[in-house]
Amino acid sequence: MDVAAWLRELGLEQYASAFRNNDVDGEVLPKLTADDLISIGVTSVGHRRKLLAAIAVLVTEPPTVAQSAVSATSAPISPPTIDAERRQLTVMFCDLVSSTALSTRFDPEDLRELIGSYHRAVADTVGRFDGFVAKYMGDGVLIYFGYPQAHEDDAERAVRAGLAVIEAVGRLPARDDLSVRLGIATGLAVVGDLIGEGAAQERGVVGETPNLAARLQALAAPNTRVIAEARRGQIGALFDLAELGPQALAGFEEPQPAWRVIGESGMLSRFEALRSGTTPLVGRDEELELLIRRWEQAKSGEGRVVLISGEPGICRSRLTAALSEQIGTEPHTPRALFLLAAPPGQRAVSGDRADGAGGRLHAR
């Protein structure tokens, strides 16, 4: 099948190079989904719907002789099924400010190019933070953090992605300065359900989280981010926030606390920003004593290295903070590097060891 000729018949020949660059041939074409079209650059909702309708026709057409021969020699392959999942999800809703006014000042073709550039800028930017563009709704973009790939810092990623989106959209070439409003919320949701039929299927989310993100977006001033109360607890003191107070939002019985993100707080340590320094250290006396002994040996001129290893949540950072508190009045130069995950297959350093519940402290 000549895909380029098929596109010309639809009046969408401008996408021929995109289809060709992504190796979309006659065999792949009937299997394309809405997400596939978005990923190869079909940002126009109208064009995407037209393509999906034409693809649906291809699916119902009888196969050619060549296609039948391929089917006869190939084992039937069932499409992979993805069950809906209950997840802690962070949702960002991004809206282009004054899009209606733009439509009155721009020629429709120019506006199409502008909206397409805006969609691409948002998708490329959030992609750097592992955000997942779930849906384009005109000049609005719905984005998930924590699906399909989850990270322990999805809340932080979403806020930082929001700042990057504001900067990226502001750099777009246009006769008018473009700005966006962002709403961000976190909560439990069921995500992954298929919505729609055939090639037009998309994966949606069920729960109040996307609705809350959309309502918060409406509260935001141009080029600002508004977050929900649950998000504020997850990002700790990593960002400076301005309290907006309880807000009456459509669809919510109780007023919802909201916060405007001002910017990065400048705090160097994620541990200090996300956890209170007054958290008591419990059950780590032996490990702390070993660290202090190694410190005394290092002061006497004997080089010492200590590796603390174990699963997240066993107080590794809190233990190092306790050591810093113990030696705070003594001359030393701290150096800190924070990693979100240990490299796979990492092995501990051999030598003297003090074992604690759930983790190990190795010293040399």
Side-chain angles (χ1 to χ4, degrees), residues 277-321:
T278 61
T279 302
L281 182 64
V282 179
R284 295 297 179 189
D285 294 340
E286 184 179 356
E287 288 83 354
L288 184 56
E289 289 173 4
L290 176 57
L291 287 174
I292 294 174
R293 289 201 303 271
R294 292 298 178 263
W295 167 251
E296 295 295 336
Q297 292 168 350
K299 286 196 303 180
S300 67
E302 300 181 39
R304 287 292 180 262
V305 175
V306 179
L307 169 68
I308 305 172
S309 66
E311 296 298 321
I314 66 166
C315 300
R316 292 170 302 180
S317 297
R318 184 66 186 88
L319 185 58
T320 58

Side-chain angles (χ1 to χ4, degrees), residues 19 34 36 44 47 54 106 112 114 132 138 144 173 191 200 212 219 254 283 287 313 316 325 352 356:
F19 276 58
D36 294 332
S44 167
H47 289 175
F106 281 79
R112 168 184 168 275
L114 178 62
F132 174 73
Y144 302 156
V191 62
L212 180 56
L219 295 177
E254 299 293 332
E287 288 83 354
R316 292 170 302 180
E325 294 167 5
D352 295 340

Side-chain angles (χ1 to χ4, degrees), residues 23-353:
D23 301 315
V24 177
D25 55 18
E27 182 181 353
V28 174
L29 182 61
K31 302 174 185 177
L32 291 183
T33 66
D35 288 339
D36 294 332
L37 293 176
I38 292 170
S39 68
I40 66 176
V42 184
T43 56
S44 167
V45 175
H47 289 175
R48 195 158 65 246
R49 291 299 177 187
K50 183 182 290 188
L51 285 166
L52 290 173
I55 289 171
V57 173
L58 288 177
V59 174
T60 59
E61 288 179 348
T64 63
V65 174
Q67 290 171 332
S68 299
V70 171
S71 299
T73 57
S74 302
I77 301 175
S78 300
T81 59
I82 303 177
D83 295 331
E85 301 176 61
R86 182 183 176 91
R87 287 205 181 193
Q88 182 79 2
L89 191 68
T90 295
V91 177
M92 174 192 292
F93 195 90
C94 176
D95 184 63
L96 186 63
V97 176
S98 302
S99 59
T100 302
L102 291 173
S103 67
T104 64
R105 296 198 299 270
F106 281 79
D107 179 84
E109 291 188 0
D110 294 335
L111 181 63
R112 168 184 168 275
E113 293 295 331
L114 178 62
I115 296 297
S117 298
Y118 155 67
H119 283 166
R120 287 189 293 273
V122 173
D124 292 345
T125 302
V126 300
R128 299 202 308 269
F129 297 85
D130 270 1
F132 174 73
V133 176
K135 187 180 298 185
Y136 295 98
M137 295 168 284
D139 60 350
V141 186
L142 182 66
I143 303 150
Y144 302 156
F145 291 86
Y147 177 89
Q149 181 66 38
H151 309 82
E152 71 173 33
D153 62 337
D154 280 318
E156 301 167 45
R157 288 170 181 261
V159 176
R160 290 196 169 93
L163 177 59
V165 165
I166 292 171
E167 295 175 350
V169 172
R171 291 194 300 265
L172 290 177
R175 287 179 288 179
D176 299 294
D177 291 334
L178 301 180
S179 57
V180 292
R181 287 189 292 259
L182 301 166
I184 307 174
T186 295
L188 288 174
V190 175
V191 62
D193 273 323
L194 286 173
I195 299 174
E197 296 180 357
Q201 285 182 335
E202 296 179 354
R203 298 203 173 271
V205 60
V206 177
E208 72 171 23
T209 306
N211 296 327
L212 180 56
R215 301 302 182 194
L216 293 174
Q217 173 271 137
L219 295 177
N223 284 341
T224 63
R225 299 156 290 173
V226 174
I227 65 174
E229 173 71 14
R231 285 299 308 266
R232 185 184 71 87
Q234 289 184 320
I235 63 175
L238 286 170
F239 301 90
D240 292 326
L241 307 174
E243 185 176 2
L244 301 180
Q247 301 289 323
L249 304 178
F252 292 85
E253 294 183 1
E254 299 293 332
Q256 301 294 312
W259 302 76
R260 178 170 58 85
V261 180
I262 299 173
E264 298 269 1
S265 67
M267 188 171 289
L268 296 179
S269 168
R270 291 184 73 252
F271 174 78
E272 294 173 353
L274 298 175
R275 300 168 179 84
S276 170
T278 61
T279 302
L281 182 64
V282 179
R284 295 297 179 189
D285 294 340
E286 184 179 356
E287 288 83 354
L288 184 56
E289 289 173 4
L290 176 57
L291 287 174
I292 294 174
R293 289 201 303 271
R294 292 298 178 263
W295 167 251
E296 295 295 336
Q297 292 168 350
K299 286 196 303 180
S300 67
E302 300 181 39
R304 287 292 180 262
V305 175
V306 179
L307 169 68
I308 305 172
S309 66
E311 296 298 321
I314 66 166
C315 300
R316 292 170 302 180
S317 297
R318 184 66 186 88
L319 185 58
T320 58
L323 175 63
S324 297
E325 294 167 5
Q326 293 280 341
I327 65 174
T329 59
E330 303 182 45
H332 66 283
T333 302
R335 291 288 184 268
L337 172 64
F338 293 89
L339 300 176
L340 298 181
Q346 177 175 304
R347 295 188 177 275
V349 179
S350 61
D352 295 340
R353 183 176 76 187

